[in-house]
Amino acid sequence: MAEIAAQVGITTRATLTILKGLEDAGYLTRHRVGRRSHYTLDTHQHFRHPATATHEVGELLAIFTPDPSTRTPPSS
């Protein structure tokens, strides 16, 4: 949580509140592994706002995920 909070520039408490809200809304599923929490994102979940409700979260994430077919192989 501290890493996420620092990267985004918010408090750890705010990070926990946001993650809980996303979990309650069905966007995230939390899995406890020992003392740590691991989250799984439901990429097929639709946005809540009526203007974007026909789109899935995965569509937005695809914009930021590089297409493996366009990667340049590493130099030897």
Side-chain angles (χ1 to χ4, degrees):
M1 293 304 143
E3 285 181 44
I4 294 170
Q7 186 71 28
V8 177
I10 59 177
T11 65
T12 302
R13 181 171 289 249
T15 303
L16 289 169
T17 301
I18 291 167
L19 288 173
K20 179 67 174 145
L22 290 170
E23 185 180 357
D24 290 346
Y27 290 96
L28 296 177
T29 303
R30 182 170 48 110
H31 309 277
R32 296 284 296 178
V33 179
R35 294 177 56 190
R36 294 181 167 236
S37 292
H38 294 262
Y39 294 89
T40 304
L41 175 66
D42 181 359
T43 57
H44 297 291
Q45 183 78 4
H46 288 265
F47 289 101
R48 292 186 287 183
H49 192 278
T52 57
T54 60
H55 297 282
E56 294 180 353
V57 172
E59 293 176 58
L60 175 63
L61 295 176
I63 295 170
F64 301 103
T65 305
D67 182 356
S69 66
T70 62
R71 289 190 188 145
T72 307
S75 301
S76 299

